[in-house]
Amino acid sequence: MSGLSLDATQLDRYSRHIIMDEVGSEGQQALLDARVLVIGAGGLGAPAIEYLAAAGVGTIGIADDDAVERSNLQRQVIHGDDDVGRPKVESAADFVRGLNPDIAVETHEVRVDPDNAPALVAEYDFVVDASDNFRTRYLVNDVCTLTDTPFSHGAIYKFEGQVTTFTTDGPCYRCLFPEAPPEDAVADCATTGVLGVLPGTVGCIQATETVKAITGIGELLDGRMLFYDAMDMSFEEVEFRRNPDCPVCGDDPIDSIDEVEYTESSCEMREN
Ligand SMILES: [Zn+2]
């Protein structure tokens, strides 16, 4: 890959990347050549989309089936007051085009489910899981792991966040959490509330990891779950390894997601 294909406007726009040896024109070209899917254009997706667009990720796919609500605006900073009622993918796409007309944005106004997830993920090199529910989280893990697609995981709860990166040779989310918790043990932002700036921090870490993965620089969070507590402003890290009994990446993995039951309350392996 040669930086010679960057035009004058690109050399200007991405100059602060290009002057660094660690990124350089080759790294910028890798970003421009990359296709990243962001699942969820909400609290985590907003900062992820914003910084990936600014960084010049050449094609950003955005999957979300929600419309913008006024109560989203406290944290979902790519949507504005005039966007209330619009599909989030449309609002997000307009934001991206306004920030960086150099890149392409592909909108998928769908709820990611077992029927559409494999084909959707197959179109992209890297996935940012910015979803807000366990069903999607396990589905993204299983599809990405079975197809060797690296992905970033982020989750938030009130004042706390967790974030990690899954690569093709590390453990997966099920190695750490084999099954989803029961539905009555899980609360969402609508019922518990969330500090508005919290997903900004976690989503920015997800964008950072995405840029590092694409350009091949630094140490990724693979095999490390980073826990963030905004209340006492602390970060803790827990290392985890591939579980040989993991149903998705272990020694005897499933062949396809058809073997998994993805209901709202659980994501359990089907009994055969
Ligand atoms: Zn696993």
Side-chain angles (χ1 to χ4, degrees):
M1 213 58 76
S2 161
L4 294 176
S5 60
L6 296 174
D7 65 30
T9 307
Q10 290 173 321
L11 289 170
D12 187 13
R13 179 184 297 277
Y14 307 119
S15 60
R16 301 304 190 275
H17 273 164
I18 293 167
I19 57 172
M20 290 193 291
D21 291 340
E22 294 83 352
V23 182
S25 53
E26 284 189 10
Q28 189 60 52
Q29 190 64 58
L31 289 167
L32 287 164
D33 290 341
R35 296 177 53 83
V36 173
L37 175 65
V38 181
I39 297 177
L44 296 170
I49 290 165
E50 183 171 25
Y51 276 97
L52 294 177
V57 168
T59 305
I60 300 177
I62 304 171
D64 198 307
D65 71 337
D66 282 339
V68 179
E69 297 177 29
R70 189 157 280 110
S71 63
N72 299 152
L73 304 181
Q74 164 251 25
R75 63 197 179 283
Q76 301 181 16
V77 294
I78 59 174
H79 309 300
D81 202 64
D82 290 344
D83 296 316
V84 172
R86 296 180 72 201
K88 284 187 181 177
V89 290
E90 284 183 19
S91 170
D94 283 350
F95 178 91
V96 169
R97 292 185 196 107
L99 176 63
N100 189 352
D102 189 38
I103 62 173
V105 55
E106 298 174 347
T107 58
H108 307 278
E109 195 180 348
V110 294
R111 182 173 175 81
V112 175
D113 65 25
D115 292 329
N116 61 32
L120 196 54
V121 167
E123 293 179 49
Y124 295 92
D125 308 315
F126 191 97
V127 173
V128 178
D129 178 11
S131 65
D132 61 358
N133 64 86
F134 280 95
R135 181 176 189 264
T136 307
R137 189 172 303 165
Y138 279 87
L139 176 61
V140 171
N141 177 76
D142 298 348
V143 172
C144 287
T145 303
L146 290 173
T147 58
D148 284 339
T149 307
F151 67 106
S152 162
H153 155 82
I156 51 170
Y157 177 76
K158 294 174 79 173
F159 301 97
E160 296 168 25
Q162 64 181 43
V163 55
T164 188
T165 305
F166 296 106
T167 59
T168 53
D169 51 3
C172 80
Y173 187 75
R174 280 191 194 271
C175 291
L176 198 56
F177 305 112
E179 303 279 341
E183 190 172 23
D184 56 8
V186 179
D188 63 19
C189 287
T191 50
T192 63
V194 59
L195 191 69
V197 68
L198 174 76
T201 305
V202 176
C204 277
I205 294 172
Q206 292 189 272
T208 308
E209 289 285 281
T210 306
V211 168
K212 285 163 56 191
I214 293 167
T215 54
I217 61 172
E219 297 292 327
L220 294 172
L221 276 172
D222 54 333
R224 296 184 289 150
M225 182 70 82
L226 187 64
F227 293 95
Y228 167 54
D229 186 331
M231 282 301 242
D232 52 17
M233 197 46 78
S234 63
F235 288 87
E236 280 180 47
E237 197 180 291
V238 172
E239 293 193 13
F240 62 106
R241 293 203 180 100
R242 175 176 277 171
N243 174 5
D245 297 325
C246 175
V248 180
C249 76
D251 295 339
D252 185 23
I254 57 173
D255 294 321
S256 85
I257 60 166
D258 295 342
E259 295 174 50
V260 186
E261 186 109 51
Y262 297 98
T263 63
E264 288 302 326
S265 59
S266 69
C267 313
E268 294 172 357
M269 299 298 148
R270 287 201 174 104
E271 299 290 338
N272 288 317

